[in-house]
Structures are given as C-alpha cells and as structure tokens.
C-alpha cells in the first residue's frame, strides 16, 4: 500500500513539474553571483569596485557564472556609502558633487567599461536599484540649501528635502547654499515629493514611514514647489512616478545592464513597481528588456507574501525566496536535528522568476578584525541567521538552492574565501592563490551548468529525516545528507533514467564508484556525511548523472550598446568632473565630450547620431587614448559612423557643430562595441576635455601627485615639493572648479615645502598646479569655512 502511495505521489509530481516547466522564464536557470558584500572594499581598487569586477570577469566566466548583481551605482551621500543612500539619480560618477566625482563603484567611464567587459565575457549585469527613498539633501558643506522651512516634518529628516543637482549648465563650483539652490540638474525634488505632504500622511505603515531618509510618495498628488530654492521648476501630476520611470529607461540605455534587483519592495506601492518593470521591459525602445528580462524584488516575508507580490506585479519580477532561505538556516541551526524531507514544501509556490539563495549582504553581516577575518556577527543589522561558509552543513544549503526551481544567487563570500585568510581588503581578483574559492560551491556551480540542471523538470525522489533526493528530470540526481558522521546509502531510488544508464558522482564524494540504473529506472546512491571525510572533502551532498560528461557550458561573448543623451541638465562642465555632456551650443563650434569607451583591438565600433534638428550638420570626432583626433565625420540628420579600433583601450567620442551659425540642440549618441575579455584597469585615462570647458590638464584630476596639508583647510595650505622638482624654480597656479585662475606665484628655490594663504578664497574645491620647464604636477584641496 505504501509503495502505491509513493508511486502516485511521484506521478502527480511528474505531471505538475512538466506543466510548471513550460511556464518558466528563460532567465530562471541563470546562476547569479552577488558581486559584492556589505561594505565592500579593496585597497588595490579604492573607490573603484567597477575596476575590481572588470579584472575578476574572466574568472567568473571560467567558473560558469551567468550574471552578476552589482551594487547601486548612482551618486550617494559620499564614497563611504555602499550604494543604498541614493542622492542624484543622474550622476553615475561623472559629476563633482558631495566632495567627489567617483562613487564607491568608481567613475562613470569605469562603470560603463565594467558592464562592457562583463558582456564580452558572456555575463549579464543585474543592476541593484533603490526606489523607496533618497537622502543627503544639501551641499557637501553642512547640507547648505538642503533644508526647506516650509516642509512638513517627518520626524527624522529635519526637513532636509530640497534636492538640487550639478549639471553641465550649473556645476558645483562651490558648496554654498546659494550655489546649491541654483543647480539645475535633471530630476530635482521638493518636500511635497515625500511623506508627509499636503495630501499624504506618513509613518503609519511600511510604505509611508521614513526608515532610511526622505520616503518617496508615489501618489499622483505628491507634487509642488520648494519654499526656498532658486532653481524651482513647476511640477505636475504623477511627478515622482513619471520621473523615476524616465530615469530607469535612461539608466538602462546609458549603462547597458540586463536586469534589475529592486531593493525593499515592500516599502513602496506595488502598482509603481509593476509600472517601472513594464516600461523597462516594453517601453525602452532599442533597449527593451522584453518580458524575459531578469528582475527580482527583495521582500522579506513568508511564502504567501512572496507569492502575492510576484502576482501583483503580473510576474514581471520574482522574489528572493526568503521562505526557502529561512528553512535553509533552520538546517544549520538544527545541528543534525532538522527534517530534510520538509524542504520541498518550504519553497515559495510562485516560482516563475524565483531566486533561491543561501546568503546575501543583508543576511550576512560579520564583525571583522583589522585583516577582515570574522570575529562575530552584527546580529542587529542582519536578517535572520548567517550561514557561514565553513559550517559543515553550508554545502547542503547550496546543493538544495541550486537544485530547486529558480535562478540561484551565489553570495560573494560563499564562493570566494575572504573571511578566514586575512585577504579581504588587499587581494588581487586575478590571483587564484590570494583569492581562493570554496571547493564545494564551485563544484555545485559546475554541476548545475554542465549537467544542465534546469533543462530537466524538478522532481522530488526521496524525502527522509536525514536525506533528500531531487531529480532534474533526465539530467541529474542531487542528494543531500544532514547526518554529521553517517553516510546515507539509499536503494531503489526512482528516476527517469533508462535501465542500464551508468551514473557517476560528479561531486567526487564517491570517487570513481558508479551506479547502474535497473528495474524500470531505479538506482542506488550514496550521500556522504557533513564532516568532510568523503573523497574531495565533500560535505553532505552527491550529484549523480550519466558518466562521461565533460565541461560543455559556455556563454558566448557579446557586444554592448550604450547611449548618451547630450543635454545641459545632464553631465557636468566643472573642471573637477569628467567634463562630459551638454547640448551643442548656439553659433559656436565648441565641442562637447560625449563619453569614453574601452574597446577590444579587433572590434568594429558603430556610432549612431540622433540630433534634435535634422537640418544642421554635426561633426563627430574619434579620439585615441592620448586625446589625438584620429577620425572624424560630418553629416546631417540621423547618421551612422562606423570605425575600427586598433588597440585595446580607451577611446573618446566628441561632437561639435560643423559651422559657427547653427542653433544649439540636444542629440543622442548610441554606440555599439565589444570590450576586451581581459583588462588591466590601472591604465592611464586621459580626460580629453574640450578646450572651452577645460582649465586643467587633460589628465584625470583624481591622479593627485601633490602632497597638501591640511586638506581641507581654511587659512593656508602647505605644499610639499616633490624631490624631482627641487633643482628648478617652480611656479604655482590655483584654479577654481570652473578653471579660472584665482592665485599665482613662485616657490623659493631650495625649499622642500612652502605655504600659500587661502584666506581670501571662497569655500569650495580648488586645483593647484606646480610647473617648470621640465614638468607639471597637479593636486587639489578643499577650502572650508
């Protein structure tokens, strides 16, 4: 009788699995690496995580990673922020704001290069996006201009709800309140755009409470003007929802990412999330993600809540499967007393786009020593219980997460060992010895990809207290064992393999032992204990599939398309910025820098121009890494410029009016190219700024060579003269952030340092240049009150 019940259950599950498999979104098989940890940092790549990931990309390709989830990449309140304190949606590390051009990820050029390098390695990029709040209103000097006395108070942000941004037309040449309130960058925001406002209360539920900063109100009536801003354009119905929608489409086109991870989705309305997802999938023109675009929302809750959110966004996104994750952490906490047979019931029901996971940056917040090794856990700031990579049952959790339905997410610290070897902050990502992998997780990824788990329907074959066996129909059997010392030797496991099929254990736990299918699809398998005594040191899992399968999984290299919109409320003309952006000026051939791309030597670059005015001719300039114009073309209307790159490295694109008597206009520049698979990120990057906006060297300002103390300063600065410059008299020039000379002089021969009074300078960023007949040396400092 029991045998009949088991067969009936198996048949029912088989038919359900086949029906379910036909609905699965194609992205539901992707293996996604979370490409960062909380407070990510590497001293070899300071404020340059994009460069770190670019150099890591070939290893990810080799490991079989399909997609990488990257942190939020817009300008935050400072480079000390890891991305979840968004300030300016249209600053990707190209504007000088908040005392920096760069974000924690690096500058805009480096971000775009990283995405292109990932695509060249066949890896999709999943962009993390924060849609429930923004923060950091005001200038970098004590928040000047950020507060609006007319605002309704939410009880936590003290009415700091004026958001104004630098742009090409209005750079941040100082940090006064007046300058801040004059900034005319795109998507300014006022207090009415947040809770509370005249129509919408705050602080009563998850959506309208300011947990992390001014809390966005997506209601159609949440609009109005500032009580004190100088740049104060009118707003209209549905302002925040419309502007976020427009920004997301711009963001996708500009950067070229493939999908989204949406932060804290329970903290803003589901109708807004569904709106944004639909537009990214269907209303981004050439950049449409289509309904197959990878999308996942972070909702911390039970299975019913996860299913409800996915249903409410019309299955345009899935959710991280916290329901399953809570069960996986129970395995760890159970210390051998958990019922593995209950795991299949733990996964959420709506699995069309589900993302099973073991850890992420919110569930894994270790306390660290000076070398970055684990010393404890920040239980108050993490969600649930961490699953530590060296826990004897962590491999069980990963084997389950990779075998159930969904697109499994791999946490950085679970794949790469940065918590036990003193290497967290100083390893090189290309060095396999400095940055080692955890063998079990690497093996499970290999099996998932090369045995093609997700091409077979999900079927539960055995559910016992200490053993669980899952089949991916016709592809593999995955067995897990919760016992610390005893093997699980299971006989007569029903499979869909034909009799006579020889199955090998691709985990290596059973060595070269094989098993032959018999008696109508039955097989005997052995699953090792959790203590690591099995062959290859495997802990608690084995993976059986037809013998003789070799590495066969490879995603093809892809080109990337990125589009720049040239308009005065984007970019930044200030000398401290990348000096990119801006519309073409009226009656002038002054050029504008479109942007910079990092091409493969064999690539064919396609540049498409879409001007606002089709009657006037536009000239495109293609510059090499030394800022030499190596090719140019002029044409009217929409046109294409095809060019070949002759080396791996940076190229700059600039545009200008072809004649002096043309009206100013906006235009779009779309570029398709292929990046190299392997790069060295520390190559020199020249700014190649246009002469009319450049008061500085063409070299990046951030390559500071001068030692200046104190910095910031208010009365004087002391400049240390480099040793190689001591033999010759040097002049000094101080420039403001517009490139205007504000002070000049000479240092006395024989001094190793000299003082300069800055008492008469207004507060803001300044650049200093030492120059003689042999060399020019740059530096920068900040003048404070």
């Amino acid at each position: 009788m029991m045998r009949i019940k088991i067969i009936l259950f198996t048949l029912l599950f088989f038919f359900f699995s086949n029906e379910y498999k036909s609905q699965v979104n194609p992205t539901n098989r992707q293996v996604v690496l979370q490409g960062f940890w909380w407070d990510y940092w590497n001293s070899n790549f300071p404020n340059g995580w994009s460069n770190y990931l670019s150099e890591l990309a070939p290893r990810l390709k080799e490991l079989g990673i399909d997609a990488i989830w990257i942190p939020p990449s817009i300008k935050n309140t400072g480079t000390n922020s890891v991305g979840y304190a968004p300030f300016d949606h249209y600053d990707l590390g190209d504007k000088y704001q908040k005392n920096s051009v760069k974000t924690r990820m690096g500058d805009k050029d480096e971000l775009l290069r990283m995405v292109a390098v990932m695509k060249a390695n066949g890896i999709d990029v999943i962009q993390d996006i924060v849609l429930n709040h923004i923060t950091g209103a005001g200038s970098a000097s004590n928040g000047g201009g950020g507060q609006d006395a007319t605002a309704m108070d939410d009880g936590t942000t003290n009415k700091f709800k004026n958001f104004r941004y630098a742009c090409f037309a209005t750079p941040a040449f100082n940090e006064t309140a007046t300058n801040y309130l004059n900034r005319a960058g795109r998507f300014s925001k006022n207090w009415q755009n947040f809770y509370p406002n005249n129509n919408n209360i705050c602080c009563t539920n998850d959506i309208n409470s300011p947990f992390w900063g001014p809390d966005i109100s997506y209601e159609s009536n949440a609009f109005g003007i500032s009580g004190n801003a100088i740049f104060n354009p009118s707003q209209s119905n549905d302002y925040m929802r419309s502007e976020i929608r427009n920004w997301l489409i711009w963001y996708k086109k500009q950067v070229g990412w493939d999908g989204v991870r949406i932060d804290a989705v329970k903290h803003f309305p589901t109708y807004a999330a569904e709106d944004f997802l639909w537009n990214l999938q269907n209303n981004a023109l050439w950049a449409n993600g289509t309904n197959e675009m990878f999308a996942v929302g972070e909702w911390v809750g039970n299975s019913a809540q996860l299913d409800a959110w996915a249903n409410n966004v019309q299955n345009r996104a899935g959710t991280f499967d916290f329901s399953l994750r809570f069960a996986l952490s129970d395995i760890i906490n159970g210390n051998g007393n958990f019922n593995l047979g209950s795991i299949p019931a733990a996964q959420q029901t709506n699995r069309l786009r589900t993302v099973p996971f073991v850890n992420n940056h919110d569930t894994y917040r270790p306390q660290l020593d000076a070398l970055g090794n684990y010393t404890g856990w920040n239980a108050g700031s993490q969600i649930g219980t961490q699953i530590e990579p060296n826990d004897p049952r962590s491999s069980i959790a990963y084997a389950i997460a990779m075998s159930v339905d969904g697109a499994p997410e791999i946490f950085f610290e679970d794949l790469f060992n940065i918590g036990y070897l003193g290497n967290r902050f100083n390893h090189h990502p290309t060095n396999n010895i400095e940055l080692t992998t955890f063998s079990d997780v690497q093996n499970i990824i290999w099996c998932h990809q090369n045995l093609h788990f997700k091409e077979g329907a999900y079927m539960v074959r055995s559910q016992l207290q200490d053993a669980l066996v899952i089949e991916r129909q016709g592809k593999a059997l995955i067995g897990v064992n919760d016992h610390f010392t005893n093997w699980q030797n299971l006989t007569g496991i029903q499979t869909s393999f034909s009799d006579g099929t020889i199955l090998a254990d691709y985990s290596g736990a059973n060595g070269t032992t094989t098993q032959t299918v018999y008696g109508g699809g039955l097989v005997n398998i052995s699953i090792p204990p959790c203590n690591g005594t099995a062959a290859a040191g495997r802990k608690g899992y084995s993976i059986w599939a037809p013998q003789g399968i070799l590495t066969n999984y490879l995603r093809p290299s892809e080109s990337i398309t990125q589009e720049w919109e040239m308009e005065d409320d984007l970019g930044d003309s200030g000398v401290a910025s990348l000096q990119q952006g801006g519309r073409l000026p009226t009656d002038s051939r002054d050029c504008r820098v479109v942007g910079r791309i990092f091409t493969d030597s064999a690539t064919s670059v396609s540049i498409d121009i879409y001007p606002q005015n089709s009657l006037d001719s536009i000239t495109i300039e293609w510059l090499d890494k030394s800022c030499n114009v190596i090719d140019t073309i002029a044409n009217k209307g929409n046109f294409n410029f095809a060019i070949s790159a002759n080396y791996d490295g940076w190229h700059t694109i600039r545009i200008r009016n072809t004649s002096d008597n043309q009206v100013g206009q906006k235009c779009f520049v779309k570029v398709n190219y292929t990046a190299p698979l392997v790069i060295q990120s520390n190559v020199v990057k020249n700014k190649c700024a246009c002469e009319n906006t450049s008061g500085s060297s063409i070299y990046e300002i951030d390559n500071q060579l001068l030692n200046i103390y104190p910095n910031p300063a208010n009365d004087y600065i002391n400049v240390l003269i480099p040793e190689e410059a001591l033999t010759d008299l040097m002049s000094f020039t101080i420039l403001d952030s517009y490139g205007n000379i504000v002070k000049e002089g000479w240092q006395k021969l024989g001094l190793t340092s000299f003082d300069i009074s800055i008492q008469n300078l207004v507060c803001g960023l300044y650049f200093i240049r030492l120059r003689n007949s042999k060399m020019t040396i740059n530096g920068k400092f900040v003048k404070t009150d």
Side-chain angles (χ1 to χ4, degrees):
M1 184 65 177
M2 180 61 70
R3 173 82 172 166
I4 295 173
K5 287 182 178 178
I6 292 174
I7 294 173
L8 179 60
F9 172 81
T10 302
L11 288 172
L12 287 172
F13 200 94
F14 174 81
F15 289 121
F16 173 77
S17 298
N18 273 347
E19 180 184 357
Y20 181 80
K21 184 171 180 284
S22 67
Q23 304 175 53
V24 172
N25 182 282
T27 64
N28 217 13
R29 41 141 290 277
Q30 285 190 308
V31 173
V32 181
L33 174 73
Q34 181 172 0
F36 62 102
W37 62 90
W38 184 250
D39 207 22
Y40 57 92
W41 183 263
N42 186 295
S43 59
N44 300 305
F45 303 86
N47 297 322
W49 198 249
S50 291
N51 295 333
Y52 176 94
L53 294 178
S54 292
E55 295 199 13
L56 182 63
R59 287 189 66 186
L60 302 183
K61 175 187 178 74
E62 183 181 1
L63 287 166
I65 300 299
D66 293 309
I68 185 167
W69 159 21
I70 65 171
S73 54
I74 67 174
K75 183 65 60 68
N76 272 222
T77 53
T79 53
N80 61 317
S81 172
V82 297
Y84 296 93
F87 170 68
D88 184 354
H89 290 87
Y90 286 95
D91 184 351
L92 302 180
D94 55 316
K95 306 181 187 184
Y96 187 84
Q97 298 181 109
K98 298 296 182 183
N99 283 332
S100 177
V101 174
K102 293 187 175 185
T103 68
R104 189 74 161 240
M105 293 289 290
D107 67 29
K108 180 178 179 179
D109 297 334
E110 294 162 346
L111 172 67
L112 269 55
R113 174 175 64 182
M114 180 271 292
V115 178
V117 169
M118 288 293 172
K119 296 299 292 181
N121 281 277
I123 299 169
D124 288 345
V125 176
I126 311 303
Q127 178 64 67
D128 203 327
I129 291 176
V130 180
L131 297 176
N132 61 313
H133 72 279
I134 63 170
T135 192
S139 71
S141 178
N142 301 316
Q147 192 175 48
D148 186 344
T150 66
M152 296 176 68
D153 197 353
D154 58 23
T156 64
T157 58
N158 200 22
K159 302 184 179 183
F160 275 85
K161 296 185 176 182
N162 278 329
F163 288 88
R164 296 296 184 271
Y165 307 118
C167 62
F168 194 88
T170 58
F173 60 85
N174 65 42
E175 294 298 331
T176 64
T178 299
N179 176 268
Y180 177 82
L181 292 171
N182 266 298
R183 297 175 190 174
R186 186 173 297 184
F187 197 11
S188 60
K189 304 167 190 73
N190 304 322
W191 68 267
Q192 296 93 334
N193 305 140
F194 307 96
Y195 296 105
N197 53 56
N198 293 328
N199 301 294
N200 306 297
I201 61 172
C202 84
C203 317
T204 62
N205 55 50
D206 282 331
I207 289 180
N208 65 20
S209 299
F211 293 110
W212 299 282
D215 191 56
I216 294 175
S217 174
Y218 282 108
E219 286 80 4
S220 60
N221 55 14
F223 63 91
I225 62 173
S226 167
N228 59 331
I230 301 165
F231 176 71
N232 206 2
S234 62
Q235 299 180 353
S236 59
N237 196 57
D238 244 349
Y239 180 75
M240 290 300 288
R241 187 171 166 186
S242 297
E243 289 298 324
I244 288 288
R245 182 192 305 130
N246 293 338
W247 164 66
L248 285 168
I249 292 172
W250 171 88
Y251 198 8
K252 190 174 191 305
K253 290 179 176 180
Q254 174 65 96
V255 180
W257 38 257
D258 302 277
V260 289
R261 180 265 185 186
I262 308 177
D263 187 60
V265 293
K266 70 165 63 174
H267 296 288
F268 62 97
T270 304
Y271 64 76
E274 199 273 336
D275 176 346
F276 303 146
L277 288 163
W278 185 91
N279 278 277
L280 284 172
Q281 292 166 343
N282 301 289
N283 195 33
L285 301 177
W286 63 266
N288 278 348
T290 76
N291 291 336
E292 296 179 0
M293 183 187 82
F294 185 98
V296 60
E298 182 211 25
W299 181 295
V300 182
N302 59 39
S303 178
Q305 292 170 320
L306 302 177
D307 292 345
W309 187 84
N311 292 335
N312 288 337
V313 297
Q314 310 301 314
N315 289 313
R316 299 193 180 282
T319 52
F320 289 99
D321 196 342
F322 271 93
S323 179
L324 176 64
R325 201 276 171 180
F326 292 144
L328 296 179
S329 64
D330 287 342
I331 296 175
I332 307 302
N333 297 331
N335 199 31
N337 296 311
F338 184 82
N339 179 10
L340 281 184
S342 66
I343 282 290
Q347 195 179 19
Q348 69 178 110
T349 302
N350 186 333
R351 302 196 293 272
L352 291 174
R353 295 174 182 263
T354 187
V355 176
F357 72 104
V358 174
N359 281 314
N360 64 33
H361 67 292
D362 285 324
T363 68
Y364 202 83
R365 299 279 181 91
Q367 296 172 344
L368 307 171
D369 63 19
L371 297 177
N373 293 329
Y374 306 142
T375 61
W377 302 95
N378 294 305
S381 63
Q382 71 181 25
I383 300 170
T385 304
Q386 72 283 344
I387 298 177
E388 199 171 347
N390 70 345
D391 188 285
R393 291 175 173 80
S394 64
S395 300
I396 298 177
Y398 263 101
I400 293 170
M402 298 286 279
S403 63
V404 299
D405 279 325
E409 175 252 310
I410 312 297
F411 183 50
F412 192 100
E413 298 200 45
D414 292 340
L415 178 58
F416 295 108
N417 187 350
I418 60 168
Y420 304 100
L421 304 177
N423 61 337
R424 176 182 294 267
F425 302 123
N426 59 7
H427 63 266
H428 291 84
T430 57
N431 190 313
N432 291 1
I433 298 175
E434 292 184 9
L435 182 63
T436 61
T437 59
F438 287 104
S439 176
D440 281 6
V441 175
Q442 180 176 344
N443 170 254
I444 296 167
I445 294 172
W446 188 96
C447 291
H448 180 281
Q449 303 295 56
N450 293 282
L451 304 181
H452 302 275
F453 281 11
K454 298 300 165 61
E455 293 179 16
Y458 169 59
M459 308 173 77
V460 179
R461 290 305 195 177
S462 178
Q463 294 172 272
L464 303 172
Q465 175 73 29
D466 283 338
L468 173 68
V469 180
I470 293 171
E471 181 184 355
R472 300 307 309 203
Q473 185 186 5
K475 298 298 179 181
L477 283 176
I478 303 97
V480 292
N481 174 10
D482 193 32
H483 202 283
F484 190 71
T485 58
N486 293 344
W487 283 74
Q488 299 293 325
N489 300 305
L490 306 181
T491 60
I493 299 298
Q494 181 67 53
T495 76
S496 57
F497 294 107
S498 59
D499 289 356
T501 303
I502 300 174
L503 301 183
D505 178 11
Y506 285 85
S507 77
N510 284 274
T512 59
T513 300
T514 60
Q515 296 289 347
T516 302
V517 180
Y518 66 93
L522 303 179
V523 72
N524 306 329
I525 64 172
S526 296
I527 313 170
C530 302
N531 60 7
T533 57
R538 297 293 179 238
K539 297 180 293 185
Y541 77 96
S542 58
I543 299 174
W544 301 83
Q547 68 175 357
I549 299 175
L550 304 175
T551 300
N552 58 54
Y553 185 77
L554 184 67
R555 285 168 59 90
S557 178
E558 295 183 45
S559 65
I560 192 166
T561 301
Q562 295 164 331
E563 181 181 87
W564 286 259
E565 180 182 350
M566 304 300 293
E567 182 57 289
D568 283 346
D569 63 350
L570 298 172
D572 190 345
S573 60
V575 69
S577 73
L578 293 189
Q579 293 183 272
Q580 298 176 6
R583 63 167 40 210
L584 292 173
T586 297
D587 297 332
S588 171
R589 286 186 294 158
D590 286 344
C591 79
R592 297 287 184 263
V593 176
V594 175
R596 197 165 291 107
I597 63 174
F598 201 92
T599 61
D600 178 76
S601 59
T603 194
S604 177
V605 180
S606 178
I607 306 174
D608 291 305
I609 317 301
Y610 302 94
Q612 191 176 35
N613 179 1
S614 63
L615 300 179
D616 291 329
S617 177
I618 292 176
T619 298
I620 300 292
E621 298 175 344
W622 175 250
L623 283 70
D624 67 13
K625 58 188 175 183
S626 298
C627 300
N628 301 308
V629 177
I630 55 176
D631 206 346
T632 183
I633 189 174
N635 213 330
K636 296 180 180 179
N638 299 343
F639 66 96
N640 175 266
F641 184 25
I643 194 167
S644 296
N646 297 320
Y647 60 87
D648 288 2
W650 292 112
H651 290 84
T652 300
I653 302 165
R654 300 197 310 206
I655 61 173
R656 63 175 81 236
N657 288 324
T658 305
S659 70
D660 287 324
N661 57 349
Q662 296 178 202
V663 298
Q665 63 170 312
K666 174 173 76 172
C667 64
F668 293 86
V669 182
K670 184 174 71 173
V671 185
N672 178 270
Y673 65 100
T674 303
L677 275 71
V678 179
I679 72 159
Q680 289 186 330
S681 63
N682 61 352
V683 295
V684 173
K685 176 162 69 77
N686 292 334
K687 189 177 287 191
C688 303
C690 296
E691 294 81 1
N692 62 304
T693 61
S694 176
S696 67
S697 162
I698 62 174
Y699 292 97
E700 289 289 84
I701 291 298
D702 280 345
N703 293 339
Q704 181 174 341
L705 298 177
L706 286 178
N707 191 336
I708 302 168
Y709 181 83
N711 190 6
N714 55 15
D715 294 324
Y716 71 92
I717 56 172
N718 180 268
V719 182
L720 181 67
I721 302 173
E723 183 176 352
E724 63 270 24
L726 292 175
T727 59
D728 199 1
L729 194 65
M730 299 198 80
S731 68
F732 73 83
T733 304
I734 297 179
L735 305 95
D736 64 19
S737 58
Y738 272 145
N740 301 312
I741 296 174
V742 296
K743 196 176 185 75
E744 296 180 282
W746 295 86
Q747 57 93 357
K748 293 181 179 179
L749 193 61
L751 296 178
T752 57
S753 67
F754 65 101
D755 293 339
I756 303 175
S757 173
I758 58 172
Q759 290 179 347
N760 295 329
L761 301 183
V762 299
C763 297
L765 176 73
Y766 291 89
F767 302 94
I768 182 168
R769 177 180 301 147
L770 266 59
R771 177 180 289 163
N772 61 22
S773 60
K774 300 176 182 178
M775 67 187 71
T776 298
I777 311 170
N778 293 315
K780 66 181 178 180
F781 65 91
V782 174
K783 168 66 163 64
T784 61
D785 293 329

